[in-house]
Amino acid sequence: GAMTQQARWFMVVALLAAVPTLAQEPVTGVPNPESLFTDANPKLNANKQVALHIMKDLLQCNHWNEAEKWLTARYLQHNPLVASGRDGVVKFFGTRPRTATCDRLTAPVVAVLADGDLVTVVIAREYKEPKDASRTYTSTWFDMWRIVGGKADEHWDPQTKQ
C-alpha cells in the first residue's frame, strides 16, 4: 500500500540518523610552522623564539639536557600530570629518546599568538575515534607559556587527568 507522508518522513529521519556525518573541518598546520614564531615587535619576537625552542628542542627532539636554557627553575606547571619546577618536567619527559639532529620544527602548528609576557602555540592533534579505533579525527591543542627573563616560567595546556 501507499506510504503516508508521516511514514515517509519518519523513514527519512531514521536513515539520516544512521548515516555517520563529519561534524568538523579537519585541523591542519601551516606549511612552514617556524615562520609563525617571529614578530615585528622585538620583545614579542624574543618570547616567540623561546616558545619555538621549547616546541622544537625540548618537546620534539627531546634535548632535555638543554632545559635550563629555556625553562626557569621554578617553572610553574598547570598540567595536572606533571609536577611544577624544571626538574619535574625534565623527569616527566626526559626518558624519551633524544633525536640526534634537530633542524626544523615539524609540529602541525596552526597559530602562534604573543601578548605581553604570554605566548600561545595552537597545534592540530589527531585522536582515535572513540567508537571506531581504526578511524581518527583532528582537534586542537594549545600550550601557553609566561616568559620571564628569556625563559618560560609558567605553562598551561588543556590536559585533563586520565
Side-chain angles (χ1 to χ4, degrees):
M3 203 184 287
T4 67
Q5 182 67 28
Q6 185 178 18
R8 278 195 295 274
W9 171 249
F10 283 124
M11 197 166 98
V12 167
V13 169
L15 284 171
L16 287 174
V19 175
T21 58
L22 182 62
Q24 70 169 101
E25 294 297 320
V27 181
T28 57
V30 300
N32 178 11
E34 290 194 26
S35 67
L36 300 177
F37 290 84
T38 61
D39 200 285
N41 175 310
K43 178 69 174 163
L44 298 181
N45 189 72
N47 288 351
K48 284 184 175 186
Q49 287 294 300
V50 172
L52 172 61
H53 284 286
I54 293 168
M55 291 289 298
K56 182 176 73 173
D57 301 348
L58 302 184
L59 294 171
Q60 176 181 305
C61 297
N62 294 308
H63 292 190
W64 290 98
N65 59 311
E66 300 175 14
E68 75 176 76
K69 290 182 184 179
W70 312 115
L71 308 178
T72 65
R74 165 180 119 116
Y75 195 62
L76 299 178
Q77 182 60 263
H78 299 290
N79 176 317
L81 305 181
V82 185
S84 282
R86 182 175 57 226
D87 292 345
V89 76
V90 169
K91 183 177 179 183
F92 185 82
F93 288 111
T95 59
R96 293 180 177 185
R98 191 175 190 276
T99 305
T101 57
C102 196
D103 298 330
R104 64 186 190 87
L105 181 64
T106 59
V109 179
V110 174
V112 178
L113 308 163
D115 185 35
D117 61 358
L118 299 173
V119 177
T120 303
V121 179
V122 179
I123 64 169
R125 271 238 174 130
E126 190 173 270
Y127 297 94
K128 296 255 184 232
E129 278 286 352
K131 294 178 181 172
D132 181 358
S134 70
R135 295 179 51 223
T136 60
Y137 69 97
T138 57
S139 192
T140 309
W141 182 268
F142 83 89
D143 285 285
M144 184 168 71
W145 292 277
R146 181 181 314 283
I147 310 300
V148 176
K151 296 180 182 186
D153 187 59
E154 194 167 5
H155 170 258
W156 296 261
D157 66 26
Q159 182 66 57
T160 58
K161 292 181 180 181
Q162 315 210 327

